[in-house]
Amino acid sequence: MRQVERQGDSQEIMAMNIEETLRTLGITHPAGLWIDQQVRLCHGPILAIHSPVDGSLLAEIPQAVPEDADLAIAGAVAAFRRWRLVPAPVRGELVRRFGNILRENKQALAELVSIEAGKIRPEAQGEVQEMIDICDFATGLSRQLYGLTMATERPSHRMMEQWHPLGPVGIISAFNFPVAVWAWNAAIALVCGNSLIWKPSEKTPLCAMACQSLLMRAAHGMREVPEAICSVLIGSRALGELMAEDRRIPLVSATGSVAMGRAVGKAVANRLGRPLLELGGNNACIVTRSASLDLAVRAIAFSAVGTCGQRCTTLRRLFVHQSIADELITRLKIAYASLPIGNPLENGTLIGPLIDRTAMDRMMSALSEARHAGGTVFGGDQLTDRVPAGGCYVRPAIVEMSSHADIMFQETFAPILYVLRYSSLEQAIELQNCVSQGLASSIFTNDLREAELFMSASGSDCGIANVNIGPSGAEIGGAFGGEKDTGGGRESGSDSWKSYMRRATNTINFGSDLPLAQGIQFG
Ligand code: NAD
């Protein structure tokens, strides 16, 4: 790895931060392939990692090549054969230890998330907290991988189901949750008895190396943990494509854009593997006449501008009852005007940078299309004053629309909030559901009937439907994911663990006759 070239104060601070942070997290040999603690220097093209904070170069890493991927997958197969035999509560012990190591290293890992992904410190810390939470959840789960016992129609028979480990789990992750999404998958998959191969976003490989290093610290001294229980493959989408096609990986959990999900879903389905897809959203909020506007304004601002509009659950479309629209929009504009935008490493900043220039260009092009469609844009300008040079900083935009224009069907991964007035709740729900994505939604109302309608079968068609909180910022206890183009996958809490195991139905005859099901007489 080449260290940052120091060009000025902000870069000097960053260089000191990154050096110390990487050391704390145990990253001494950045390289394309990590199998457990063994770091293999790969011979693929060099991947240059730039910080979105100020564009500075953080590291140059040789990427993994197909032979490295093969090595990692073969290792994961061998590890799985051993790990599946380890009792689930002992597997839970690994995850419990990992959670504790995350607690000890929360600040350092969050710092790296801020530096590499551009998140403000409180959000980066929240992301690491989410990892700790899922470790706690998975540890408890390791003693609760229950199957059912079913009534059988045959005398002296018993019927039951068991949940068994599935195999190596491939994890492909996006840049915007560089550590938590992996942890949702990893913690659950590990207690379920699976090994892991992780292809993180090429924009955030240092975060992945840090997670790997901390997990291996947790495994240290646990003789039950086999070699190659977890590998990290650093590199481009081509590595993800290889994983999607490889029959040795029965489950590929992929988080990212809809385009990525279509490609991965197709490749995994083609070999009749299991795709678990967590894809883009186009999330909405409905504010009704009876809503508390105090609650709504705060929730809308957090959901629409948090992580600079780069959350899968970011609020993108707001439907406001016409009778309260003027007041709500005015209050939102006041809130937006006072948002502190700038260096995410500085205390008090609420909006950090976009991930890169491409994201900025996409935002500007979406705003221009919205203007063409008759939208009135508030904010949305590029910032150069009082923000670190070299980063892509923008003022979040509110765009008042008179109809559901074409641009509103797309997920533009930036802080753009389209606002539309409505007259009946049924119409608002229809507008909300008219897009192809189906991740997160919410309603603000103090009317029980409106809330129940929104959550009913004829209400929101999304995987997440909230009342009086925004669509963003889920807890780990619930199953997370969405419908339609969002991919249909569910991760994290509730019974999402079932996707990571195989179910065996067992029927046992303890009698001396052989009665057949459905009363069939044979011979
Ligand atoms: P992306 O699709 O560009 O990349 C995500 C990952 O997929 C990366 O690791 C990338 O290398 C890999 N990839 C891309 N094309 C691939 C292919 N054809 N085959 C295999 N792997 C491939 O997404 P991004 O820009 O990193 O992240 C933003 C997107 O992710 C947004 O659409 C956002 O909504 C979505 N996202 C969804 C969730 C969720 O839980 N639903 C969570 C986070 C992000």
Side-chain angles (χ1 to χ4, degrees), residues 325-359:
D326 286 342
E327 186 185 350
L328 182 67
I329 295 168
T330 304
R331 288 178 66 174
L332 279 174
K333 285 180 179 170
I334 293 169
Y336 267 50
S338 65
L339 289 170
I341 305 168
N343 190 331
L345 297 165
E346 272 171 20
N347 290 337
T349 300
L350 287 184
I351 318 283
L354 286 167
I355 189 72
D356 55 21
R357 171 71 40 190
T358 309

Side-chain angles (χ1 to χ4, degrees), residues 173-176 199 202 255-257 260 278-280 312 411 480:
S173 60
F175 79 84
N176 66 324
K199 206 301 273 174
E202 46 277 60
T255 300
S257 58
M260 178 279 288
E278 296 281 351
L279 311 176
C312 51
E411 179 199 45
F480 182 89

